[in-house]
Amino acid sequence: MTRKWLRWMPAVAVPAVIAAAALAGSLPASAGDPLPAKTPAEVLAMVAQHSAPSLSGTLEQTSQIGLPELPKTGPSSGGGAASALELLSGPHTARVFLDGTSNMRIQVLDRLAERNAVKSGDQVWLYSSRDNTAAHLTLPAGAGHARDFSDCRHPAAGADGVMPTPEALAARLLAVADPTTEVSVGPEINIAGRAAYNLMVTPRTEGTLIGSAAIAVDGQSGLPLSVELKARGQEEPAFKLAFTSLSLEAPDASLFAFTPPPGATVKEIEVPAHGTGSWPGHGTEKGVVPDSRDPNGGLPRPEVTGTGWETVVEFPAGPASAEAGAMASGDPLIQQAAVAVPGGRLFSTAVVNVLFTDDGRVFAGSVPAERLLTAAAAR
Amino acid sequence: MPNRDVAKEGAAGKAAPVEVREAAGSSAAESPATGPIDGMQPGNGWSLLASELSVLFRRRRTWAMLLALAAVPVLMAVAVRASSSVPPGRGPAFLDRITQNGLFVGVTALLVCVPLFLPLTVGVVAGDTIAGEAGLGTLRYLLVAPAGRVRLLLVKYAGAAVFCIVGPLVVALAGAGIGSALFPVGPVTLLSGDVIAPGEALVRLVLVAAYLTVSLLGLSAVGMFLSTLTDVPVGAMAATIVASVVSQVLGELPQLEWLHPWLFTHYWFGFADLLRQPVAWDSFGSNALLQAGYIAVFGALAYGRFVTKDILS
């Protein structure tokens, strides 16, 4: 009988070993040398000082902002808004290749498909393998490199298949850091095998949906390695974008030389001379990405009420917001996500609420829905 | 009982293999079942493997399965050739690329075969490993030495693994062959939009087949374990195929997201990462690790079951 039991030992031992290995892998790896302690200001300075480096890495995005998860297979719905929402909801993986400030390539790795954005000098190519289409645009010569960069990484650019990098999101979060916000450096964390400072940003007010934000800053290079946004009362991050692997060596130069493959449908995109980064056909995204503060000629000037984290942005009735409203009621996806409330439709996520009123105005903010309704009723 | 199964299997295909088995086993047959562990000469293992492979690949069933797999790309290429152009974004991924480049037939056919056809054939082979011998009554002849059980298990698994290599390769090469016969062959567009030469594309195609081979090894281990549980080969085959389907269904349920990385089907469609530029090897590595885990767990289970089992047939 004991012999029989011995024979079953491997069948018991192997799962035990695997479970132990899985547990050990999930524990934070103990770093060799702890990073020297730094104040939030010093960490911020590190971020500010670091110049766009050469790197190649893999970014992982997860989000639980309360949007319905979209099917990953099947034909893409094509609409710019749907594609932007698709990027925001559900998990995504992207590879990023940077070579200085002038060359960049971002690959959003979809299931059996890929979306590419390649920037080489002032030439930008967008390619989607799902429908084999490419788009080309030449950036205006006047726009500085840094400007080009921020345009390409702007969340609004997500509509064209580019995920925002941690850097762009970090800059956004730090811009709103003011007396309403508590900024501190949390315990050291490990991202993509690198020791990093964890910059914690916590709103001092209860009147916002955002619980806290955290930015991991590489202890050596000052490069933001991850961005995490937590909604109030949510245990899991509402949005998380982090490197899972990172190498600071210059990627192969051939990666940035893109020519559209034979048979692809190529579309030339005219960039307006002032180069706002808002590409034609995607103006409607402004209603969906409400915190995009683009100076945009197409929209009437939005009115801002409230301060700090409780800011509510109001887009008055006009052709652009009417278009956004029509889209909100027409697009089945947004229709599914938006609920009818007295006086309009509310598009609600864990971190942002958008209210499309029946008379064509749009209210947006990281505030509870009641505040948007009050703001709408007050006018 | 053995007679019934032999009759069911068809005597024509079966008579020769049984003879081969007995010839191969005869060298180890000298030591009685309770004797010392002396059947481990390397020559025995290799001759047993050679005999296993020759039995496997002389079976009509194996040939029928390989032909059915090869028929998938052929049917697909002929259908696309006969019809007008496929609009992009319809049908399985890459289908619209076939008309531009024949080499895509191989990739598209592999894509179509991954969810069902390949697991089906592998399930038949892996489910048959032990239960098939038991059902035929030949198992006890193969197990005359005490150490023979472990060796037989290893040889049986190696046989199933060879089929895992051959299956995807047949689909890929049949696809590349029929594709180059019916469509122009030229530079191949990868998912990233980069273009590579046909020679390199063929390398990528073989890499994709290798990825699927690795993907199917875990299922083979599951099948072999199930095969040790029963004397009815059809039961083990069906259970193996059901296991692969259940795993894929569980993988589609977002409520079970925590479970997904542990399912052996989790990385099955990750072969697309080999069609990116540069190649994303992450999924290849994760897949290999996952499958190795399944091989270890179900190999150990199969060992535990098989060496403690009373072999009556």
Side-chain angles (χ1 to χ4, degrees), chain A residues 4 7-8 10-11 14-15 18 22 58 75 95 97 105 107 109-114 116 127 129-132 255 258-259 261-262, chain B residues 88-89 93-94 97 100 111 189 191-195 252 262 269 272 276-280 293 296-297 300-301 303-305 307-308:
Chain A
K4 223 171 180 178
R7 299 277 163 80
W8 281 102
V14 170
I18 290 178
T58 309
R95 290 194 291 180
F97 303 95
R105 180 164 190 163
Q107 302 178 322
L109 310 182
D110 297 319
R111 183 166 162 155
L112 300 170
E114 189 170 311
N116 267 257
Y127 176 76
S129 81
R130 189 162 284 154
D131 42 11
N132 199 18
L255 275 176
F258 186 86
T259 43
Chain B
F94 317 123
R97 308 282 177 87
Q100 295 157 22
L111 180 73
T189 307
L191 289 178
S192 308
D194 297 49
V195 174
E252 290 296 319
W262 298 93
F269 283 99
R276 306 187 195 278
Q277 185 76 350
V279 175
V297 170
L301 281 172
Y303 166 80
R305 165 70 185 163
V307 294
T308 55

Side-chain angles (χ1 to χ4, degrees), chain B residues 43-105:
Chain B
N44 287 340
W46 290 116
S47 68
L48 196 59
L49 179 60
S51 116
E52 168 69 23
L53 288 179
S54 79
V55 169
L56 180 62
F57 286 99
R58 274 196 292 170
R59 272 198 175 156
R60 285 190 193 169
R61 184 172 68 197
T62 310
W63 281 104
M65 289 193 300
L66 291 178
L67 280 177
L69 284 176
V72 171
V74 173
L75 281 176
M76 192 181 283
V78 170
V80 171
R81 180 78 191 160
S83 68
S84 52
S85 67
V86 184
R90 296 274 306 276
F94 317 123
L95 190 64
D96 55 309
R97 308 282 177 87
I98 287 178
T99 47
Q100 295 157 22
N101 204 319
L103 289 177
F104 267 107
V105 178

Side-chain angles (χ1 to χ4, degrees), chain A residues 4-312:
Chain A
K4 223 171 180 178
W5 278 114
L6 273 180
R7 299 277 163 80
W8 281 102
M9 276 307 287
V12 179
V14 170
V17 167
I18 290 178
L23 267 179
S26 68
L27 292 178
S30 58
D33 291 321
L35 293 169
K38 284 199 173 176
T39 64
E42 283 170 328
V43 176
L44 285 182
M46 273 181 75
V47 179
Q49 275 164 10
H50 107 273
S51 53
S54 297
L55 65 85
S56 40
T58 309
L59 281 170
E60 203 88 44
Q61 175 200 308
T62 53
S63 58
Q64 297 183 337
I65 55 175
L67 289 174
E69 193 159 326
L70 300 168
K72 268 174 267 171
T73 49
S76 60
S77 44
S83 132
L85 283 180
E86 195 268 334
L87 273 175
L88 280 176
S89 69
H92 285 286
T93 308
R95 290 194 291 180
V96 182
F97 303 95
L98 279 181
D99 189 5
T101 50
S102 55
N103 293 336
M104 175 175 69
R105 180 164 190 163
I106 298 181
Q107 302 178 322
V108 180
L109 310 182
D110 297 319
R111 183 166 162 155
L112 300 170
E114 189 170 311
R115 283 168 282 178
N116 267 257
V118 189
K119 176 179 172 296
S120 176
D122 59 354
Q123 303 293 307
V124 176
W125 282 98
L126 305 168
Y127 176 76
S128 165
S129 81
R130 189 162 284 154
D131 42 11
N132 199 18
T133 54
H136 174 250
L137 60 112
T138 307
L139 294 173
H145 280 313
R147 180 62 182 279
D148 295 350
F149 244 48
S150 63
D151 279 344
C152 291
R153 297 175 188 184
H154 195 281
D160 291 287
V162 183
M163 282 212 304
T165 66
E167 290 168 60
L169 288 179
R172 166 76 52 85
L173 282 165
L174 295 176
V176 299
D178 56 69
T180 61
T181 310
E182 186 190 335
V183 181
S184 61
V185 178
E188 182 185 321
I189 59 169
N190 196 309
I191 303 280
R194 304 175 70 92
Y197 295 104
N198 201 12
L199 201 61
M200 312 285 292
V201 178
T202 318
R204 295 185 204 274
T205 166
E206 298 279 313
T208 173
L209 294 173
I210 294 174
S212 70
I215 306 154
V217 178
D218 185 24
Q220 281 174 0
S221 64
L223 178 78
L225 297 180
S226 84
V227 168
E228 199 179 279
L229 195 60
K230 273 188 182 160
R232 193 166 289 280
Q234 240 186 11
E235 202 47 48
E236 294 284 302
F239 180 86
K240 184 173 183 183
L241 183 65
F243 279 109
T244 51
S245 71
L246 177 67
S247 147
L248 291 181
E249 281 160 33
D252 192 13
S254 64
L255 275 176
F256 305 109
F258 186 86
T259 43
T265 320
V266 181
K267 195 172 65 173
E268 189 69 29
I269 297 178
E270 292 295 327
V271 182
H274 54 282
T276 57
S278 97
W279 294 320
H282 296 282
T284 50
E285 257 81 82
K286 297 305 171 283
V288 184
V289 189
D291 54 348
S292 90
R293 306 227 162 76
D294 258 6
N296 190 303
L299 275 181
R301 201 154 179 76
E303 272 186 53
V304 178
T305 53
T307 54
W309 294 92
E310 299 173 50
T311 305
V312 173

